[in-house]
């Protein structure tokens, strides 16, 4: 099995921010509706958003066209 590279610090921060935002949104919605499973849904969405999004600064190898 090939070894996986460790997460970069920017990627780790992105996942943590996604979890924190999901926790806050899930907590607010669960308190507002009275249904506690919104907390788990908020965490899942926050984790997914943090995993899908590319951290800023990782697209340095992509060619940029100069603006005119």
């Amino acid at each position: 099995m090939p070894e996986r590279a460790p997460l970069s610090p920017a990627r780790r921060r992105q996942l943590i921010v996604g979890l924190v935002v999901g926790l806050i949104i899930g907590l607010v919605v669960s308190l507002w509706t009275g249904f506690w499973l919104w907390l788990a849904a908020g965490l899942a969405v926050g984790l997914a958003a943090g995993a899908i999004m590319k951290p800023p600064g990782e697209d340095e190898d992509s060619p940029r066209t100069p603006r005119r």
Side-chain angles (χ1 to χ4, degrees):
M1 199 191 281
E3 289 187 32
R4 295 176 52 191
L7 290 175
S8 68
R11 186 68 148 159
R12 190 174 303 121
R13 279 192 302 265
Q14 183 101 13
L15 288 172
I16 291 170
V17 167
L19 279 174
V20 169
V21 169
L23 175 71
I24 292 170
I25 297 299
L27 186 64
V28 167
V29 172
S30 67
L31 289 174
W32 182 42
T33 62
F35 187 59
W36 64 272
L37 282 177
W38 282 114
L39 181 62
L43 284 173
V45 169
L47 182 62
I52 291 172
M53 292 173 47
K54 186 179 351 178
E58 279 194 2
D59 56 352
E60 295 165 352
D61 57 342
S62 65
R64 290 184 53 114
T65 57
R67 289 190 130 170
R68 294 180 192 193

